[in-house]
Amino acid sequence: VKVVVVGNPANTNCLIASKSAPSIPKENFSCLTRLDHNRAKSQIALKLGVTANDVKNVIIWGNHSSTQYPDVNHAKVNVKGKEVGVYEAIKDDSWLKGDFIVTVQQRGAAVIKARKLSSAMSAAKAICDHVRDIWFGTPAGEFVSMGVISDGNSYGVPEDLLYSFPVVIKDKTWKFVEGLPINDFSREKMELTAKELTEEKETAVEFLSSA
């Protein structure tokens, strides 16, 4: 069985679900950060006047919350038939390190404010994308964002957290994308969201032990 958790706080709910069902391998649990991933792709596409399908390898690090870190340092975009890095294509570092990140982090709240309803269809589409990739695998040369157990990661994220990483999937098994260089700006954002997840986990464990 594969378990996908969507209800918020998705990461911590997924971790607790995993701990509550120890007979299921931890790796079979994942939580949805694909909606954030899709939103990040869309913001880049809108900025460049291309389609979201022209953008690949954005990363959502960490929690499905306002501390998540949408990272485009390793992302590529197809502009007029040529694949270039997003930083090179946009040529606006202050936007990429500022408004872009905030927009993706706050998008869910902005949609609720505008519609008085959640972005249910966008979430449904993201769940379909997430499950399709688990089943069929990720395309060659592409990775996706998924909240998975942090055990054994090479990015310094504490063990035993349900944290969003870049992953590739083959034969219904995900693997961390390894070896991506992480700059100081990214490291700080990744640690901030890990800290929030650690605190959420402690609160949940404390609450469940007293229940």
Side-chain angles (χ1 to χ4, degrees), residues 184-201:
D184 291 344
F185 178 85
S186 294
R187 172 69 56 205
E188 188 179 323
K189 299 278 187 196
M190 288 163 68
E191 286 175 358
L192 185 73
T193 193
K195 181 173 179 282
E196 181 181 61
L197 280 169
T198 302
E199 289 166 0
E200 275 188 21
K201 173 181 146 184

Side-chain angles (χ1 to χ4, degrees), residues 163-185:
Y163 188 100
S164 182
F165 289 92
V167 300
V168 289
I169 305 164
K170 188 179 178 187
D171 300 328
K172 301 182 180 62
T173 304
W174 61 265
K175 287 191 174 134
F176 296 121
V177 175
E178 301 284 13
L180 296 173
I182 304 297
N183 59 31
D184 291 344
F185 178 85

Side-chain angles (χ1 to χ4, degrees), residues 111-187:
V111 169
I112 290 169
K113 189 177 177 187
R115 297 184 67 228
K116 309 292 184 280
L117 293 164
S118 74
S119 54
M121 187 59 83
S122 301
K125 165 74 164 61
I127 294 163
C128 290
D129 292 344
H130 179 109
V131 172
R132 182 191 63 217
D133 285 342
I134 289 175
W135 192 258
F136 293 109
T138 45
E142 290 192 34
F143 48 77
V144 294
S145 306
M146 202 174 271
V148 293
I149 193 70
S150 61
D151 298 3
N153 80 86
S154 62
Y155 293 104
V157 176
E159 303 265 302
D160 199 38
L161 289 180
L162 220 294
Y163 188 100
S164 182
F165 289 92
V167 300
V168 289
I169 305 164
K170 188 179 178 187
D171 300 328
K172 301 182 180 62
T173 304
W174 61 265
K175 287 191 174 134
F176 296 121
V177 175
E178 301 284 13
L180 296 173
I182 304 297
N183 59 31
D184 291 344
F185 178 85
S186 294
R187 172 69 56 205

Side-chain angles (χ1 to χ4, degrees), residues 37-38 40-58 72 74-86 89-90 141-142:
H37 179 100
N38 288 349
K41 283 175 63 171
S42 298
Q43 291 301 315
I44 298 301
L46 283 167
K47 188 81 169 171
L48 290 169
V50 298
T51 73
N53 288 338
D54 291 318
V55 184
K56 70 177 187 182
N57 296 354
V58 304
V72 291
H74 314 287
K76 304 280 187 196
V77 59
N78 191 312
V79 182
K80 295 175 183 167
K82 188 183 172 199
E83 198 169 82
V84 293
V86 164
I90 287 185
E142 290 192 34

Side-chain angles (χ1 to χ4, degrees), residues 1-14:
V1 65
K2 305 286 189 188
V3 182
V4 182
V5 177
V6 179
N8 288 323
N11 297 58
T12 300
N13 280 346
C14 190

Side-chain angles (χ1 to χ4, degrees), residues 16-109:
I16 297 302
S18 158
K19 289 181 180 298
S20 303
S23 64
I24 301 172
K26 288 186 207 173
E27 297 75 27
N28 288 20
F29 286 83
S30 60
C31 81
L32 192 74
T33 55
R34 187 58 170 270
L35 180 50
D36 309 303
H37 179 100
N38 288 349
R39 285 169 172 161
K41 283 175 63 171
S42 298
Q43 291 301 315
I44 298 301
L46 283 167
K47 188 81 169 171
L48 290 169
V50 298
T51 73
N53 288 338
D54 291 318
V55 184
K56 70 177 187 182
N57 296 354
V58 304
I59 301 168
I60 303 296
W61 296 100
N63 199 2
H64 174 63
S65 75
S66 59
T67 67
Q68 65 174 267
Y69 171 44
D71 178 6
V72 291
N73 284 289
H74 314 287
K76 304 280 187 196
V77 59
N78 191 312
V79 182
K80 295 175 183 167
K82 188 183 172 199
E83 198 169 82
V84 293
V86 164
Y87 267 84
E88 186 190 338
I90 287 185
K91 298 184 176 68
D92 186 347
D93 289 17
S94 62
W95 181 79
L96 286 167
K97 289 183 171 178
D99 285 353
F100 163 71
I101 291 174
V102 173
T103 299
V104 177
Q105 289 174 334
Q106 305 287 350
R107 193 68 175 167

